[in-house]
Structure formats: C-alpha cells, structure tokens
Amino acid sequence: MNEWWQKPLQELTPTQWEALCDGCGRCCLHKLQDEDSGEVFYTRVSCRYLDTTSCRCTDYPRRSALVPDCVTLTPGNQEPLGWLPPTCAYRLRARGEPLRDWHPLLSGDPESVHRAGISVRGRTLPEDHVHPDSHEEHIIHWVDEEAR
Ligand code: SF4
Ligand code: SF4
C-alpha cells in the first residue's frame, strides 16, 4: 500500500505537508542571486532564527512576519521549488522522485538527516557574525550535492 508521502503534493493534508519537511535547514541559509544569469548561490550564512543544532526554525509560526524573504511553501505556491536544494523533500516529490532513505519519515528517526550529512548542522555561520557585504565570501557548493 502506498504511504501518504508518495501521493502528489496537491493531495497532502496541511499536517502531511508540514511533516514532509526533512528538517535539513538548507533553505534557511542565505542565498545570493546573479543579476544577469539569475543563478542562485547558497552561502553558509544562516538565518538568525535558525536553530543550528536542530536545524529548525525557532519561531516558525511568525517566520514570514519576522523575515520578509522567508518564503512559505504551500501546495499553491511551488514557485520557490526551483531554488530549493536538490535534496529537498518538496522538490523531490514535485518531480515525482521518491524520498531519500535518510528522510526521517522513512528512517523513523529525526537524526537520520543529520547523520547522512544532509542537514546544515555544524556547517553554518550565524548571520549576526557576518558582515552583510561579505556574504559572497561564504558561498558554498555542498547544498547542490546529495551528501557531504
Ligand atoms: S530544504 Fe526542504 S526539506 Fe529541507 S528544511 Fe527546507 S523545506 Fe524542509
Ligand atoms: S525565519 Fe525560520 S523558516 Fe524562515 S529562513 Fe529563518 S529560520 Fe528558516
């Protein structure tokens, strides 16, 4: 029998939609966009509201009010999927791909995303510690990879 996370994104309930997040925290890293090409580059600089150990937002209900750039993904707003990391559960499912075996829904263990080297745990710089003009110096490429 199919599990709920194998259904099309549009068929998920709000609770299932939230549970689909793997907790990697990659989307909470600051990004830079090339004005000419539109290409998006991730940096190791993390949003001030990211708990860099759990890799979860410390004020999730108010995130949009606190951080105007914080995009809320919904079944009706999948436009941001293009710049989300290739490992993101929403991006994978939007493309009809299965979740990876380190996803907590498959492993039954929220730590599996960290053990697999997918989460940002231990690899970030809090934005309060980085000059806003120096983000370019902190561009990273491991977000484009499956694992560390
Ligand atoms: S990148 Fe995707 S799966 Fe990872 S924390 Fe962000 S929304 Fe969740
Ligand atoms: S406000 Fe929360 S969800 Fe939004 S980018 Fe920051 S840590 Fe992530």
Side-chain angles (χ1 to χ4, degrees):
M1 191 173 74
N2 282 355
E3 300 286 357
W4 63 259
W5 54 82
Q6 295 172 308
K7 290 190 213 169
L9 288 174
Q10 292 77 0
E11 293 180 19
L12 300 185
T13 67
T15 302
Q16 291 170 340
W17 179 268
E18 292 299 323
L20 190 60
C21 177
D22 61 32
C24 70
R26 290 183 175 201
C27 58
C28 301
L29 299 177
H30 283 259
K31 295 162 269 299
L32 299 171
Q33 185 165 32
D34 185 298
E35 284 179 7
D36 298 323
S37 69
E39 191 175 358
V40 173
F41 299 91
Y42 274 76
T43 75
R44 63 171 61 86
V45 183
S46 58
C47 173
R48 72 184 64 222
Y49 295 103
L50 183 70
D51 179 325
T52 55
T53 302
S54 69
C55 302
R56 296 283 185 175
C57 183
T58 55
D59 204 343
Y60 192 71
R62 294 198 303 151
R63 64 195 187 286
S64 301
L66 294 169
V67 179
D69 285 350
C70 179
V71 176
T72 299
L73 264 185
T74 64
N77 177 24
Q78 296 182 24
E79 183 269 331
L81 287 173
W83 54 257
L84 282 169
T87 54
C88 173
Y90 298 95
R91 185 165 160 170
L92 290 171
R93 292 304 302 131
R95 294 178 172 191
E97 292 187 42
L99 299 183
R100 302 302 189 238
D101 57 7
W102 43 258
H103 194 294
L105 284 170
L106 301 188
S107 67
D109 179 359
E111 285 295 306
S112 58
V113 65
H114 307 299
R115 277 198 303 271
I118 297 298
S119 83
V120 303
R121 182 184 281 175
R123 310 196 261 182
T124 61
L125 280 175
E127 68 179 54
D128 294 341
H129 297 191
V130 180
H131 191 282
D133 293 339
S134 70
H135 284 194
E136 205 168 325
E137 294 167 23
H138 299 290
I139 286 176
I140 52 171
H141 297 287
W142 51 258
V143 162
D144 303 321
E145 301 162 2
E146 284 276 330
R148 161 160 38 188

